Amino acid sequence: MPPISIYHLELFITEQCNLDCSYCFAGSMEGKIIDRGCAIEGIRFAADSCPEGSVLRISFWGGEPMTQMELIKDLVAYSNDYCAHKNITVRFSIPTNATLLTEENLIYIKNSGIQISLSIDGAESSQMLRKTAGGKSSFACILDNIKRVRTVLHNRILPVRKTVQPATVKYLFEDIRFFIDHGFTDISFSPAIDTPWIESDLVKFHNEQKKIARFWLQCLGTPQQFYISAWDESVGIRELYRRGQLRRNGTFFCGAGGNQLAVDIHGDLYPCHRFVF
């Protein structure tokens, strides 16, 4: 048994992805899929460390995890069964690029109680760097799937995350407005740290964040209020909690060095998913 209890397991199930984003780390990966036995071993390793009556959170990572939906279904069923015998509750999450949110997949996600977080860069101008493997725009697909998500999952709060690139940083405020207009109140964004940034890019980044900050202040106490995870968590998050518009899931906070563990497709162990990358 591990020396500490692992309450959050980040399980990499595939290096494959159906997008070809120009800035993504996955382009240098081998495109492999985890062996089922290896995945089971990782799940058992985490579950065996948890005390009876606790909650284990398992997130499925990629690549694009939803390219392996049958494997996900298999691992969800196995985890629930294995942990039930130990009186452990399992919570699942999937970070996804939102391209494979078919009605069938969404119904399964809804019925299984799986939390999804969407990786979208924003309006069409920013989403242009997230092309399909065939080189086509993914924007129309994303729009259709956002509508489908609202139909199937109704008012569920979905976190959305944006990667900021020097080429698209000038659209940052526009992208935040895009998210808000499409019903997202839990928003995060971060710069692509492996991409070269010059001084003028940083100035644009600064100015765009000032626009967002002014808009954030305007929205406090209104139905448009939203939460930016990179910023102050005091005033805004309290208001969203009070209204019942935000239910944060611990799965999306990093616990590296504590009760979190990442397992890559080879079965190697890491403090969190960022170390795998």
Side-chain angles (χ1 to χ4, degrees), residues 101-110 148-149 152-153:
L101 297 175
T102 63
E103 184 173 4
E104 178 185 355
N105 285 341
L106 284 170
I107 290 174
Y108 171 77
I109 286 167
K110 178 182 179 180
R148 186 176 294 112
V149 165
V152 178
L153 301 184

Side-chain angles (χ1 to χ4, degrees), residues 13 58 60 65-66 68-80 90 92-94 100-116 148 152-153 156:
I13 59 173
I58 300 176
F60 299 107
M66 292 185 67
Q68 308 301 320
M69 279 303 297
E70 293 308 310
L71 177 58
I72 287 176
K73 293 176 182 178
D74 180 23
L75 296 178
V76 166
Y78 179 86
S79 300
N80 282 328
V90 193
F92 302 97
S93 62
I94 305 174
L100 299 176
L101 297 175
T102 63
E103 184 173 4
E104 178 185 355
N105 285 341
L106 284 170
I107 290 174
Y108 171 77
I109 286 167
K110 178 182 179 180
N111 293 340
S112 303
I114 297 174
Q115 173 70 48
I116 57 173
R148 186 176 294 112
V152 178
L153 301 184
R156 185 191 288 193

Side-chain angles (χ1 to χ4, degrees), residues 32-68:
K32 294 183 178 179
I33 302 170
I34 195 170
D35 177 76
R36 181 184 184 274
C38 182
I40 294 298
E41 187 176 353
I43 292 168
R44 293 172 67 108
F45 182 79
D48 289 347
S49 78
C50 293
E52 184 177 352
S54 60
V55 176
L56 171 63
R57 304 185 186 278
I58 300 176
S59 53
F60 299 107
W61 284 76
E64 171 49 49
M66 292 185 67
T67 60
Q68 308 301 320

